[in-house]
Amino acid sequence: MRFYTDGAKKTARLAICLSLSLIMSALELMLPLPFAPPGVKLGLANLVTLYLLYRYGAPDALIVAVLRVFLTGFLFGGLSSIMFALPGALTALAAMALIKRARVFTPVGASIAGGTCNNLAQLVVAALTVKTAALAYYLPILIASGALTGLIVGLVCTTVLQRTEKA
Amino acid sequence: MKRMMNLFDGLLLFAALLAAALLLWHQYARPGEAAARADVYESGNLFESRTLSEDSLIEINGVVIEISGGARVISSTCPDQRCVKRGKILRAGESIVCLPNRVSIMLAGEEALDAVLY
């Protein structure tokens, strides 16, 4: 974890990342992927979270992730979406931070864990909402899609991290 | 291009996919018993319990359910229509959930105990 003495730089950087993740969220909502089973999302917003985590540490990633969830809720409809997205984003970040700490994994591994945890957490919230365990029917597809989209996002993010190393 | 993944990432991915596959297998492995009644819940509270031996229609919270030997959602006001796409359920323990409208339908068998989480 690095501490910045230049607050303005950090603020600007986080603001840009936040805007980027909002754009990703918006993109996802615009591409419904009709051929995919319901509940399958690309998890693009995690890309920014993952990048921040590996480049600047968990606190920065946390700030942007939380703000992104709320702003996406305000801007793109569904205050109720916050109820699902927030636990998803938080558990995903926690999992990714733990994986990063374990050191034997690459960002791809963290992303796989993050995507899976995101979906799992959202399913748990959904189950608590309708007060039934019947939603377990969706577990296989959510775990699989979470892991696979995590893989794709992780590969993209690794590319970005590698190419921005000199910055 | 530098190496982007390593063995551990691969193991993690494999573990996740394996878990998903096992869960899927578990869902479909047991033949299950024939269901006798359908319990319709709204926000977690039992709304109605209909026997499957007679055809009927139930409408609750914008969700239209058809009971005939099994249960299926004919139409719903939800945006994603997952409940409609679920199709028809026939066996005890199976269920359909409409999250936006907070409606869930569970099929139960003849014993006093419903089928618990498979």
Side-chain angles (χ1 to χ4, degrees):
Chain A
M1 194 165 76
R2 299 168 231 195
F3 292 95
Y4 293 98
T5 51
D6 190 344
K9 212 185 204 177
K10 174 177 175 178
T11 304
R13 181 180 293 125
L14 292 183
I16 293 177
C17 288
L18 179 60
S19 312
L20 268 176
S21 62
L22 284 176
I23 294 174
M24 309 252 181
S25 291
L27 258 176
E28 277 192 347
L29 292 172
M30 284 187 222
L31 304 171
L33 288 184
F35 56 84
V40 175
K41 274 179 52 174
L42 283 175
L44 293 175
N46 253 352
L47 211 151
V48 176
T49 310
L50 187 63
Y51 177 82
L52 282 173
L53 175 66
Y54 269 85
R55 172 73 78 223
Y56 300 110
D60 290 2
L62 178 65
I63 294 173
V64 170
V66 171
L67 286 176
R68 184 249 306 165
V69 167
F70 279 98
L71 283 176
T72 304
F74 295 155
L75 289 173
F76 301 121
L79 286 183
S80 57
S81 74
I82 299 177
M83 178 174 64
F84 294 96
L86 191 60
L90 290 176
T91 48
L93 181 56
M96 296 198 287
L98 282 175
I99 297 259
K100 172 174 180 251
R101 199 166 249 234
R103 292 202 185 273
V104 289
F105 299 95
T106 70
V108 173
S111 184
I112 292 172
T116 311
C117 284
N118 189 320
N119 288 1
L120 269 178
Q122 291 190 341
L123 191 62
V124 167
V125 174
L128 291 172
T129 305
V130 284
K131 294 181 203 158
T132 173
L135 286 171
Y137 168 79
Y138 289 103
L139 266 177
I141 182 62
L142 284 183
I143 292 180
S145 68
L148 288 171
T149 58
L151 172 67
I152 297 173
V153 166
L155 289 173
V156 173
C157 190
T158 306
T159 310
V160 175
L161 283 167
Q162 283 173 2
R163 304 231 176 141
T164 56
E165 256 164 18
K166 295 225 177 103
Chain B
M1 188 170 71
K2 260 164 64 172
R3 185 92 170 278
M4 299 220 261
M5 266 181 85
N6 63 25
L7 176 70
F8 291 92
D9 301 326
L11 285 178
L12 195 58
L13 180 64
F14 178 72
L17 293 177
L18 184 66
L22 283 176
L23 284 166
L24 197 61
W25 173 83
H26 188 79
Q27 273 181 16
Y28 290 106
R30 289 184 291 140
E33 35 154 334
R37 67 176 196 277
D39 296 331
V40 180
Y41 294 84
E42 195 265 324
S43 292
N45 307 311
L46 182 61
F47 170 72
E48 257 210 60
S49 190
R50 293 267 179 99
T51 171
L52 291 178
S53 50
E54 286 173 13
D55 293 0
S56 60
L57 276 180
I58 303 176
E59 191 195 335
I60 169 162
N61 245 6
V63 181
V64 180
I65 306 163
E66 178 200 43
I67 311 277
S68 85
R72 71 184 181 104
V73 174
I74 300 183
S75 73
S76 171
T77 58
C78 57
D80 45 2
Q81 298 280 300
R82 287 176 206 189
C83 43
V84 179
K85 288 181 192 169
R86 177 79 160 90
K88 187 167 183 175
I89 52 174
L90 301 162
R91 301 175 302 177
E94 288 192 302
S95 56
I96 306 177
V97 177
C98 182
L99 199 56
N101 292 326
R102 308 199 174 212
V103 172
S104 59
I105 308 152
M106 286 203 66
L107 294 188
E110 312 209 334
E111 313 134 11
L113 273 182
D114 297 328
V116 188
L117 185 62
Y118 17 52

mmCIF file of all heavy atoms in Angstrom, chain B residues 33-40 48-58 65-73 87-96 105-110 114:
data_model
loop_
_atom_site.group_PDB
_atom_site.id
_atom_site.type_symbol
_atom_site.label_atom_id
_atom_site.label_comp_id
_atom_site.label_asym_id
_atom_site.label_seq_id
_atom_site.Cartn_x
_atom_site.Cartn_y
_atom_site.Cartn_z
ATOM 1 N N GLU B 33 -39.374 -37.287 -6.598
ATOM 2 C CA GLU B 33 -40.723 -37.827 -6.540
ATOM 3 C C GLU B 33 -41.694 -36.888 -7.222
ATOM 4 O O GLU B 33 -41.437 -35.706 -7.376
ATOM 5 C CB GLU B 33 -41.111 -38.032 -5.080
ATOM 6 C CG GLU B 33 -40.516 -36.961 -4.193
ATOM 7 C CD GLU B 33 -41.302 -36.710 -2.933
ATOM 8 O OE1 GLU B 33 -42.522 -36.967 -2.938
ATOM 9 O OE2 GLU B 33 -40.709 -36.252 -1.983
ATOM 10 N N ALA B 34 -42.805 -37.456 -7.612
ATOM 11 C CA ALA B 34 -43.826 -36.634 -8.251
ATOM 12 C C ALA B 34 -44.386 -35.657 -7.229
ATOM 13 O O ALA B 34 -44.569 -35.968 -6.066
ATOM 14 C CB ALA B 34 -44.939 -37.530 -8.787
ATOM 15 N N ALA B 35 -44.641 -34.467 -7.686
ATOM 16 C CA ALA B 35 -45.166 -33.457 -6.770
ATOM 17 C C ALA B 35 -46.673 -33.587 -6.668
ATOM 18 O O ALA B 35 -47.340 -34.036 -7.596
ATOM 19 C CB ALA B 35 -44.778 -32.079 -7.265
ATOM 20 N N ALA B 36 -47.197 -33.183 -5.539
ATOM 21 C CA ALA B 36 -48.632 -33.266 -5.329
ATOM 22 C C ALA B 36 -49.282 -31.893 -5.280
ATOM 23 O O ALA B 36 -50.429 -31.730 -5.651
ATOM 24 C CB ALA B 36 -48.937 -34.022 -4.039
ATOM 25 N N ARG B 37 -48.509 -30.899 -4.811
ATOM 26 C CA ARG B 37 -49.130 -29.580 -4.721
ATOM 27 C C ARG B 37 -48.087 -28.503 -5.001
ATOM 28 O O ARG B 37 -46.881 -28.737 -4.917
ATOM 29 C CB ARG B 37 -49.722 -29.359 -3.330
ATOM 30 C CG ARG B 37 -48.694 -29.263 -2.248
ATOM 31 C CD ARG B 37 -49.332 -28.936 -0.917
ATOM 32 N NE ARG B 37 -48.341 -28.475 0.028
ATOM 33 C CZ ARG B 37 -47.567 -29.276 0.749
ATOM 34 N NH1 ARG B 37 -47.678 -30.578 0.629
ATOM 35 N NH2 ARG B 37 -46.673 -28.783 1.577
ATOM 36 N N ALA B 38 -48.594 -27.349 -5.337
ATOM 37 C CA ALA B 38 -47.717 -26.209 -5.602
ATOM 38 C C ALA B 38 -47.975 -25.146 -4.550
ATOM 39 O O ALA B 38 -49.115 -24.749 -4.326
ATOM 40 C CB ALA B 38 -47.985 -25.647 -6.995
ATOM 41 N N ASP B 39 -46.913 -24.691 -3.888
ATOM 42 C CA ASP B 39 -47.042 -23.627 -2.905
ATOM 43 C C ASP B 39 -46.530 -22.346 -3.528
ATOM 44 O O ASP B 39 -45.391 -22.285 -3.994
ATOM 45 C CB ASP B 39 -46.207 -23.953 -1.650
ATOM 46 C CG ASP B 39 -46.720 -25.185 -0.940
ATOM 47 O OD1 ASP B 39 -47.933 -25.461 -1.027
ATOM 48 O OD2 ASP B 39 -45.904 -25.884 -0.312
ATOM 49 N N VAL B 40 -47.387 -21.343 -3.519
ATOM 50 C CA VAL B 40 -47.002 -20.060 -4.092
ATOM 51 C C VAL B 40 -46.719 -19.077 -2.957
ATOM 52 O O VAL B 40 -47.558 -18.858 -2.090
ATOM 53 C CB VAL B 40 -48.122 -19.503 -4.992
ATOM 54 C CG1 VAL B 40 -47.703 -18.171 -5.589
ATOM 55 C CG2 VAL B 40 -48.450 -20.504 -6.087
ATOM 56 N N GLU B 48 -50.754 -19.160 -1.427
ATOM 57 C CA GLU B 48 -51.753 -20.188 -1.716
ATOM 58 C C GLU B 48 -51.071 -21.512 -1.933
ATOM 59 O O GLU B 48 -49.917 -21.576 -2.319
ATOM 60 C CB GLU B 48 -52.477 -19.833 -3.008
ATOM 61 C CG GLU B 48 -53.842 -19.268 -2.786
ATOM 62 C CD GLU B 48 -54.766 -19.587 -3.937
ATOM 63 O OE1 GLU B 48 -54.980 -20.779 -4.199
ATOM 64 O OE2 GLU B 48 -55.226 -18.642 -4.565
ATOM 65 N N SER B 49 -51.820 -22.558 -1.698
ATOM 66 C CA SER B 49 -51.302 -23.883 -1.929
ATOM 67 C C SER B 49 -52.319 -24.625 -2.775
ATOM 68 O O SER B 49 -53.419 -24.884 -2.319
ATOM 69 C CB SER B 49 -51.077 -24.573 -0.583
ATOM 70 O OG SER B 49 -50.368 -25.753 -0.750
ATOM 71 N N ARG B 50 -51.968 -24.923 -4.004
ATOM 72 C CA ARG B 50 -52.929 -25.571 -4.898
ATOM 73 C C ARG B 50 -52.493 -26.997 -5.201
ATOM 74 O O ARG B 50 -51.314 -27.271 -5.361
ATOM 75 C CB ARG B 50 -52.990 -24.827 -6.244
ATOM 76 C CG ARG B 50 -53.562 -23.447 -6.174
ATOM 77 C CD ARG B 50 -55.053 -23.454 -6.461
ATOM 78 N NE ARG B 50 -55.581 -22.091 -6.360
ATOM 79 C CZ ARG B 50 -55.800 -21.319 -7.405
ATOM 80 N NH1 ARG B 50 -55.566 -21.768 -8.614
ATOM 81 N NH2 ARG B 50 -56.263 -20.107 -7.229
ATOM 82 N N THR B 51 -53.447 -27.869 -5.316
ATOM 83 C CA THR B 51 -53.121 -29.229 -5.692
ATOM 84 C C THR B 51 -52.863 -29.286 -7.190
ATOM 85 O O THR B 51 -53.449 -28.534 -7.971
ATOM 86 C CB THR B 51 -54.282 -30.173 -5.314
ATOM 87 O OG1 THR B 51 -54.002 -31.452 -5.893
ATOM 88 C CG2 THR B 51 -55.582 -29.659 -5.888
ATOM 89 N N LEU B 52 -51.966 -30.169 -7.579
ATOM 90 C CA LEU B 52 -51.611 -30.232 -8.990
ATOM 91 C C LEU B 52 -52.565 -31.084 -9.802
ATOM 92 O O LEU B 52 -52.482 -31.142 -11.015
ATOM 93 C CB LEU B 52 -50.183 -30.793 -9.141
ATOM 94 C CG LEU B 52 -49.074 -29.879 -8.637
ATOM 95 C CD1 LEU B 52 -47.734 -30.562 -8.791
ATOM 96 C CD2 LEU B 52 -49.083 -28.576 -9.404
ATOM 97 N N SER B 53 -53.467 -31.763 -9.119
ATOM 98 C CA SER B 53 -54.340 -32.693 -9.844
ATOM 99 C C SER B 53 -55.426 -31.976 -10.617
ATOM 100 O O SER B 53 -56.015 -32.528 -11.530
ATOM 101 C CB SER B 53 -54.949 -33.703 -8.880
ATOM 102 O OG SER B 53 -55.519 -33.023 -7.777
ATOM 103 N N GLU B 54 -55.668 -30.697 -10.277
ATOM 104 C CA GLU B 54 -56.652 -29.941 -11.036
ATOM 105 C C GLU B 54 -55.964 -28.768 -11.716
ATOM 106 O O GLU B 54 -55.126 -28.099 -11.124
ATOM 107 C CB GLU B 54 -57.714 -29.366 -10.102
ATOM 108 C CG GLU B 54 -58.696 -30.386 -9.584
ATOM 109 C CD GLU B 54 -59.597 -29.748 -8.531
ATOM 110 O OE1 GLU B 54 -59.606 -28.497 -8.419
ATOM 111 O OE2 GLU B 54 -60.267 -30.507 -7.821
ATOM 112 N N ASP B 55 -56.360 -28.514 -12.949
ATOM 113 C CA ASP B 55 -55.792 -27.380 -13.653
ATOM 114 C C ASP B 55 -56.353 -26.087 -13.102
ATOM 115 O O ASP B 55 -57.550 -25.974 -12.842
ATOM 116 C CB ASP B 55 -56.125 -27.465 -15.148
ATOM 117 C CG ASP B 55 -55.436 -28.645 -15.800
ATOM 118 O OD1 ASP B 55 -54.722 -29.365 -15.080
ATOM 119 O OD2 ASP B 55 -55.617 -28.850 -16.998
ATOM 120 N N SER B 56 -55.502 -25.096 -12.956
ATOM 121 C CA SER B 56 -55.997 -23.799 -12.500
ATOM 122 C C SER B 56 -54.993 -22.723 -12.860
ATOM 123 O O SER B 56 -53.882 -22.993 -13.303
ATOM 124 C CB SER B 56 -56.223 -23.820 -10.983
ATOM 125 O OG SER B 56 -55.008 -24.101 -10.321
ATOM 126 N N LEU B 57 -55.431 -21.517 -12.664
ATOM 127 C CA LEU B 57 -54.574 -20.358 -12.910
ATOM 128 C C LEU B 57 -54.482 -19.536 -11.641
ATOM 129 O O LEU B 57 -55.465 -19.361 -10.945
ATOM 130 C CB LEU B 57 -55.167 -19.475 -14.019
ATOM 131 C CG LEU B 57 -54.891 -19.834 -15.473
ATOM 132 C CD1 LEU B 57 -55.565 -18.833 -16.373
ATOM 133 C CD2 LEU B 57 -53.409 -19.846 -15.748
ATOM 134 N N ILE B 58 -53.294 -19.035 -11.383
ATOM 135 C CA ILE B 58 -53.143 -18.140 -10.229
ATOM 136 C C ILE B 58 -52.490 -16.861 -10.728
ATOM 137 O O ILE B 58 -51.547 -16.912 -11.499
ATOM 138 C CB ILE B 58 -52.222 -18.754 -9.158
ATOM 139 C CG1 ILE B 58 -52.733 -20.098 -8.713
ATOM 140 C CG2 ILE B 58 -52.085 -17.815 -7.964
ATOM 141 C CD1 ILE B 58 -51.806 -20.773 -7.727
ATOM 142 N N ILE B 65 -49.566 -17.725 -13.133
ATOM 143 C CA ILE B 65 -49.054 -19.093 -13.011
ATOM 144 C C ILE B 65 -50.106 -20.075 -13.488
ATOM 145 O O ILE B 65 -51.274 -19.975 -13.100
ATOM 146 C CB ILE B 65 -48.726 -19.401 -11.537
ATOM 147 C CG1 ILE B 65 -47.783 -18.341 -10.985
ATOM 148 C CG2 ILE B 65 -48.135 -20.789 -11.399
ATOM 149 C CD1 ILE B 65 -47.730 -18.329 -9.488
ATOM 150 N N GLU B 66 -49.677 -21.021 -14.298
ATOM 151 C CA GLU B 66 -50.597 -22.058 -14.753
ATOM 152 C C GLU B 66 -50.258 -23.361 -14.045
ATOM 153 O O GLU B 66 -49.124 -23.822 -14.056
ATOM 154 C CB GLU B 66 -50.451 -22.264 -16.262
ATOM 155 C CG GLU B 66 -51.357 -23.370 -16.782
ATOM 156 C CD GLU B 66 -50.892 -23.893 -18.114
ATOM 157 O OE1 GLU B 66 -49.678 -24.089 -18.285
ATOM 158 O OE2 GLU B 66 -51.736 -24.106 -18.999
ATOM 159 N N ILE B 67 -51.269 -23.935 -13.407
ATOM 160 C CA ILE B 67 -51.100 -25.218 -12.720
ATOM 161 C C ILE B 67 -51.772 -26.285 -13.560
ATOM 162 O O ILE B 67 -52.980 -26.223 -13.786
ATOM 163 C CB ILE B 67 -51.773 -25.199 -11.336
ATOM 164 C CG1 ILE B 67 -51.383 -23.960 -10.560
ATOM 165 C CG2 ILE B 67 -51.476 -26.463 -10.579
ATOM 166 C CD1 ILE B 67 -50.085 -24.065 -9.844
ATOM 167 N N SER B 68 -51.000 -27.239 -14.059
ATOM 168 C CA SER B 68 -51.630 -28.361 -14.758
ATOM 169 C C SER B 68 -50.646 -29.509 -14.786
ATOM 170 O O SER B 68 -49.795 -29.597 -15.663
ATOM 171 C CB SER B 68 -52.070 -27.962 -16.168
ATOM 172 O OG SER B 68 -51.039 -28.080 -17.077
ATOM 173 N N GLY B 69 -50.718 -30.356 -13.772
ATOM 174 C CA GLY B 69 -49.775 -31.471 -13.688
ATOM 175 C C GLY B 69 -48.419 -31.002 -13.202
ATOM 176 O O GLY B 69 -47.616 -31.766 -12.696
ATOM 177 N N GLY B 70 -48.173 -29.742 -13.367
ATOM 178 C CA GLY B 70 -46.938 -29.129 -12.901
ATOM 179 C C GLY B 70 -47.234 -27.659 -12.738
ATOM 180 O O GLY B 70 -48.401 -27.265 -12.626
ATOM 181 N N ALA B 71 -46.219 -26.830 -12.771
ATOM 182 C CA ALA B 71 -46.475 -25.397 -12.661
ATOM 183 C C ALA B 71 -45.557 -24.653 -13.609
ATOM 184 O O ALA B 71 -44.400 -25.038 -13.800
ATOM 185 C CB ALA B 71 -46.221 -24.933 -11.229
ATOM 186 N N ARG B 72 -46.095 -23.621 -14.218
ATOM 187 C CA ARG B 72 -45.214 -22.764 -15.002
ATOM 188 C C ARG B 72 -45.757 -21.344 -14.990
ATOM 189 O O ARG B 72 -46.928 -21.111 -14.756
ATOM 190 C CB ARG B 72 -45.075 -23.273 -16.433
ATOM 191 C CG ARG B 72 -46.304 -23.112 -17.285
ATOM 192 C CD ARG B 72 -46.099 -23.736 -18.656
ATOM 193 N NE ARG B 72 -47.301 -23.543 -19.482
ATOM 194 C CZ ARG B 72 -47.378 -22.645 -20.452
ATOM 195 N NH1 ARG B 72 -46.338 -21.898 -20.738
ATOM 196 N NH2 ARG B 72 -48.493 -22.511 -21.150
ATOM 197 N N VAL B 73 -44.875 -20.412 -15.252
ATOM 198 C CA VAL B 73 -45.276 -19.013 -15.285
ATOM 199 C C VAL B 73 -45.595 -18.658 -16.727
ATOM 200 O O VAL B 73 -44.746 -18.764 -17.612
ATOM 201 C CB VAL B 73 -44.155 -18.096 -14.749
ATOM 202 C CG1 VAL B 73 -44.528 -16.647 -14.923
ATOM 203 C CG2 VAL B 73 -43.887 -18.410 -13.290
ATOM 204 N N GLY B 87 -39.666 -22.302 -17.591
ATOM 205 C CA GLY B 87 -40.433 -23.405 -18.137
ATOM 206 C C GLY B 87 -41.299 -24.053 -17.081
ATOM 207 O O GLY B 87 -41.613 -23.467 -16.052
ATOM 208 N N LYS B 88 -41.627 -25.289 -17.318
ATOM 209 C CA LYS B 88 -42.553 -25.981 -16.443
ATOM 210 C C LYS B 88 -41.797 -26.852 -15.459
ATOM 211 O O LYS B 88 -40.853 -27.540 -15.824
ATOM 212 C CB LYS B 88 -43.464 -26.855 -17.305
ATOM 213 C CG LYS B 88 -44.588 -27.524 -16.568
ATOM 214 C CD LYS B 88 -45.574 -28.089 -17.582
ATOM 215 C CE LYS B 88 -46.758 -28.697 -16.872
ATOM 216 N NZ LYS B 88 -47.783 -29.138 -17.810
ATOM 217 N N ILE B 89 -42.217 -26.835 -14.218
ATOM 218 C CA ILE B 89 -41.579 -27.690 -13.218
ATOM 219 C C ILE B 89 -42.556 -28.787 -12.827
ATOM 220 O O ILE B 89 -43.768 -28.582 -12.777
ATOM 221 C CB ILE B 89 -41.129 -26.901 -11.972
ATOM 222 C CG1 ILE B 89 -42.272 -26.071 -11.390
ATOM 223 C CG2 ILE B 89 -39.968 -26.008 -12.303
ATOM 224 C CD1 ILE B 89 -41.894 -25.396 -10.094
ATOM 225 N N LEU B 90 -41.999 -29.978 -12.563
ATOM 226 C CA LEU B 90 -42.855 -31.136 -12.350
ATOM 227 C C LEU B 90 -42.585 -31.885 -11.061
ATOM 228 O O LEU B 90 -43.465 -32.538 -10.525
ATOM 229 C CB LEU B 90 -42.666 -32.136 -13.507
ATOM 230 C CG LEU B 90 -42.980 -31.615 -14.908
ATOM 231 C CD1 LEU B 90 -42.352 -32.521 -15.936
ATOM 232 C CD2 LEU B 90 -44.474 -31.554 -15.102
ATOM 233 N N ARG B 91 -41.368 -31.829 -10.567
ATOM 234 C CA ARG B 91 -41.016 -32.716 -9.455
ATOM 235 C C ARG B 91 -41.003 -31.974 -8.130
ATOM 236 O O ARG B 91 -40.802 -30.768 -8.095
ATOM 237 C CB ARG B 91 -39.646 -33.333 -9.715
ATOM 238 C CG ARG B 91 -39.591 -34.119 -10.984
ATOM 239 C CD ARG B 91 -38.191 -34.601 -11.247
ATOM 240 N NE ARG B 91 -37.238 -33.492 -11.326
ATOM 241 C CZ ARG B 91 -35.950 -33.651 -11.482
ATOM 242 N NH1 ARG B 91 -35.432 -34.844 -11.547
ATOM 243 N NH2 ARG B 91 -35.146 -32.619 -11.543
ATOM 244 N N ALA B 92 -41.161 -32.725 -7.073
ATOM 245 C CA ALA B 92 -41.128 -32.132 -5.738
ATOM 246 C C ALA B 92 -39.758 -31.524 -5.492
ATOM 247 O O ALA B 92 -38.739 -32.097 -5.842
ATOM 248 C CB ALA B 92 -41.417 -33.204 -4.695
ATOM 249 N N GLY B 93 -39.742 -30.362 -4.889
ATOM 250 C CA GLY B 93 -38.481 -29.704 -4.591
ATOM 251 C C GLY B 93 -38.083 -28.698 -5.646
ATOM 252 O O GLY B 93 -37.268 -27.814 -5.407
ATOM 253 N N GLU B 94 -38.647 -28.801 -6.845
ATOM 254 C CA GLU B 94 -38.328 -27.830 -7.882
ATOM 255 C C GLU B 94 -39.054 -26.527 -7.604
ATOM 256 O O GLU B 94 -40.071 -26.499 -6.925
ATOM 257 C CB GLU B 94 -38.730 -28.361 -9.255
ATOM 258 C CG GLU B 94 -37.816 -29.470 -9.730
ATOM 259 C CD GLU B 94 -38.040 -29.780 -11.191
ATOM 260 O OE1 GLU B 94 -39.180 -30.110 -11.542
ATOM 261 O OE2 GLU B 94 -37.090 -29.662 -11.975
ATOM 262 N N SER B 95 -38.536 -25.445 -8.178
ATOM 263 C CA SER B 95 -39.160 -24.164 -7.886
ATOM 264 C C SER B 95 -38.920 -23.167 -9.008
ATOM 265 O O SER B 95 -38.020 -23.329 -9.815
ATOM 266 C CB SER B 95 -38.590 -23.597 -6.590
ATOM 267 O OG SER B 95 -37.197 -23.497 -6.701
ATOM 268 N N ILE B 96 -39.765 -22.186 -9.048
ATOM 269 C CA ILE B 96 -39.603 -21.052 -9.964
ATOM 270 C C ILE B 96 -39.648 -19.793 -9.107
ATOM 271 O O ILE B 96 -40.490 -19.666 -8.225
ATOM 272 C CB ILE B 96 -40.745 -20.977 -10.998
ATOM 273 C CG1 ILE B 96 -40.894 -22.291 -11.730
ATOM 274 C CG2 ILE B 96 -40.488 -19.841 -11.976
ATOM 275 C CD1 ILE B 96 -42.044 -22.309 -12.704
ATOM 276 N N ILE B 105 -42.587 -20.111 -6.476
ATOM 277 C CA ILE B 105 -43.470 -21.278 -6.511
ATOM 278 C C ILE B 105 -42.640 -22.496 -6.179
ATOM 279 O O ILE B 105 -41.608 -22.741 -6.807
ATOM 280 C CB ILE B 105 -44.047 -21.469 -7.928
ATOM 281 C CG1 ILE B 105 -44.674 -20.167 -8.403
ATOM 282 C CG2 ILE B 105 -45.059 -22.598 -7.943
ATOM 283 C CD1 ILE B 105 -44.655 -20.036 -9.896
ATOM 284 N N MET B 106 -43.079 -23.267 -5.193
ATOM 285 C CA MET B 106 -42.351 -24.485 -4.852
ATOM 286 C C MET B 106 -43.282 -25.676 -4.953
ATOM 287 O O MET B 106 -44.408 -25.626 -4.462
ATOM 288 C CB MET B 106 -41.798 -24.390 -3.436
ATOM 289 C CG MET B 106 -40.601 -23.463 -3.335
ATOM 290 S SD MET B 106 -39.582 -23.841 -1.909
ATOM 291 C CE MET B 106 -38.970 -25.436 -2.342
ATOM 292 N N LEU B 107 -42.785 -26.743 -5.541
ATOM 293 C CA LEU B 107 -43.571 -27.968 -5.623
ATOM 294 C C LEU B 107 -43.239 -28.857 -4.436
ATOM 295 O O LEU B 107 -42.071 -29.033 -4.090
ATOM 296 C CB LEU B 107 -43.260 -28.712 -6.920
ATOM 297 C CG LEU B 107 -43.680 -28.026 -8.215
ATOM 298 C CD1 LEU B 107 -43.475 -28.969 -9.380
ATOM 299 C CD2 LEU B 107 -45.132 -27.602 -8.145
ATOM 300 N N ALA B 108 -44.270 -29.390 -3.818
ATOM 301 C CA ALA B 108 -44.044 -30.261 -2.666
ATOM 302 C C ALA B 108 -44.701 -31.609 -2.899
ATOM 303 O O ALA B 108 -45.691 -31.721 -3.627
ATOM 304 C CB ALA B 108 -44.619 -29.609 -1.414
ATOM 305 N N GLY B 109 -44.096 -32.622 -2.288
ATOM 306 C CA GLY B 109 -44.620 -33.982 -2.447
ATOM 307 C C GLY B 109 -45.704 -34.271 -1.439
ATOM 308 O O GLY B 109 -46.246 -33.374 -0.795
ATOM 309 N N GLU B 110 -46.000 -35.542 -1.292
ATOM 310 C CA GLU B 110 -47.167 -35.886 -0.490
ATOM 311 C C GLU B 110 -46.873 -36.007 0.991
ATOM 312 O O GLU B 110 -47.756 -35.944 1.820
ATOM 313 C CB GLU B 110 -47.756 -37.208 -0.994
ATOM 314 C CG GLU B 110 -47.897 -37.168 -2.507
ATOM 315 C CD GLU B 110 -49.040 -38.028 -2.957
ATOM 316 O OE1 GLU B 110 -49.357 -38.975 -2.232
ATOM 317 O OE2 GLU B 110 -49.593 -37.759 -4.007
ATOM 318 N N ASP B 114 -41.652 -31.130 3.146
ATOM 319 C CA ASP B 114 -41.335 -30.778 1.782
ATOM 320 C C ASP B 114 -39.939 -31.241 1.462
ATOM 321 O O ASP B 114 -39.144 -31.458 2.333
ATOM 322 C CB ASP B 114 -41.366 -29.254 1.585
ATOM 323 C CG ASP B 114 -42.747 -28.708 1.821
ATOM 324 O OD1 ASP B 114 -43.716 -29.457 1.533
ATOM 325 O OD2 ASP B 114 -42.866 -27.601 2.311
#
